[in-house]
């Protein structure tokens, strides 16, 4: 199965806007070339009419879209978010949580599993991004202060045992115990990231 996008303005590492074409074979990019294809084309041909041809956007931090939020706790909300993002050029994303009570978080993990299996039309789910609950009170922003916690193993091990889908965890690194958690995440190939922090 071959598709060729012609007459597009290419978005490439070296620059934006040169006219060119992209060949896709069996769902994978096989060629990106400047100018116009030489000779007749086989398969499907799509004329981009000088619109941009861009790589898919991968969103590592998003809470929702299309009126739905990942914390709504329903599979339907997940699918609405995924399909809305796909319409605007996001091809993959990390559903991101808000600081919340543990029961709500664990429910979110279950919904994620089901939604991932049913997500056939939307941006792909690449794993869960946890935002909180280990944040600085003074930098809480939109995070509910009632649910902020300290990173102690008794708590974070429960979270890590409840889901194998966590791929990124945002934490305030100055909290006691945060660096140990960061090292543990690294050893488990989960990306520790800094957020809502008072660190200077
Ligand atoms: Zn956020």
């Amino acid at each position: 199965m071959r598709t060729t996008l012609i007459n597009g303005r290419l978005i490439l590492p070296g620059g934006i806007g040169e006219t060119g074409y992209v060949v896709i074979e069996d769902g994978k990019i096989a060629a990106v070339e400047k100018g116009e294809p030489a000779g007749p084309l086989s398969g499907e041909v799509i004329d981009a009419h000088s619109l941009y041809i861009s790589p898919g956007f991968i969103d590592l931090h998003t809470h929702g879209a299309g009126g739905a939020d990942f914390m709504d706790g329903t599979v339907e909300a997940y699918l609405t978010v995924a399909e809305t993002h796909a319409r605007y050029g996001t091809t993959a994303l990390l559903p991101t949580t808000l600081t919340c009570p543990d029961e709500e978080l664990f429910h979110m993990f279950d919904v994620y599993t089901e939604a991932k299996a049913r997500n056939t039309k939307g941006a792909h789910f690449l794993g869960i991004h946890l935002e909180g609950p280990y944040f600085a009170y003074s930098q809480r922003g939109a995070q509910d202060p009632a649910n902020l916690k300290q990173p102690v193993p008794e708590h974070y091990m429960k979270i890590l045992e409840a889901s194998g889908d966590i791929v990124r965890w945002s934490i305030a690194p100055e909290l006691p115990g945060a660096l140990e958690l960061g090292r543990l995440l690294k050893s488990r190939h989960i990306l520790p990231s800094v957020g809502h922090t008072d660190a200077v």
Side-chain angles (χ1 to χ4, degrees):
M1 178 67 197
R2 169 189 274 245
T3 303
T4 308
L5 297 165
I6 59 167
N7 296 326
R9 290 157 73 195
L10 302 174
I11 297 182
L12 296 171
I16 293 176
E18 264 200 83
T19 298
Y21 62 99
V22 176
V23 182
I24 300 152
E25 271 168 12
D26 298 325
K28 289 199 171 137
I29 296 170
V32 179
E33 302 287 350
K34 289 171 185 167
E36 284 171 25
L41 297 167
S42 60
E44 185 186 14
V45 177
I46 298 171
D47 191 333
H49 296 291
S50 297
L51 296 174
Y52 288 112
I53 300 177
S54 164
F57 181 59
I58 298 174
D59 197 335
L60 302 180
H61 183 169
T62 177
H63 293 277
D69 188 297
F70 292 116
M71 300 311 286
D72 289 347
T74 65
V75 172
E76 288 64 36
Y78 272 69
L79 299 181
T80 299
V81 177
E83 287 164 25
T84 306
H85 269 274
R87 274 206 297 285
Y88 294 97
T90 302
T91 50
L93 57 82
L94 303 184
T96 302
T97 62
L98 276 177
T99 296
C100 64
D102 288 352
E103 312 80 68
E104 215 177 300
L105 189 65
F106 295 161
H107 175 67
M108 189 272 182
F109 294 159
D110 294 340
V111 176
Y112 175 86
T113 306
E114 200 187 329
K116 189 174 162 71
R118 282 178 46 191
N119 181 20
T120 53
K121 292 187 285 188
H124 297 290
F125 296 134
L126 297 180
I128 297 169
H129 171 202
L130 295 183
E131 243 202 313
Y134 311 130
F135 284 147
Y137 180 84
S138 57
Q139 302 293 341
R140 61 197 179 280
Q143 310 290 326
D144 182 353
N147 295 307
L148 292 177
K149 292 188 174 69
Q150 297 296 311
V152 292
E154 298 73 46
H155 188 247
Y156 59 68
M157 291 312 294
K158 266 200 308 195
I159 294 176
L160 289 169
E161 278 155 23
S163 175
D165 295 309
I166 300 161
V167 295
R168 178 181 177 193
W169 198 336
S170 293
I171 299 160
E174 74 278 17
L175 296 178
L179 296 182
E180 286 89 321
L181 172 55
R183 279 189 282 271
L184 175 72
L185 295 180
K186 219 173 142 218
S187 75
R188 293 183 172 216
H189 306 293
I190 296 169
L191 177 71
S193 64
V194 171
H196 297 268
T197 170
D198 234 354
V200 285

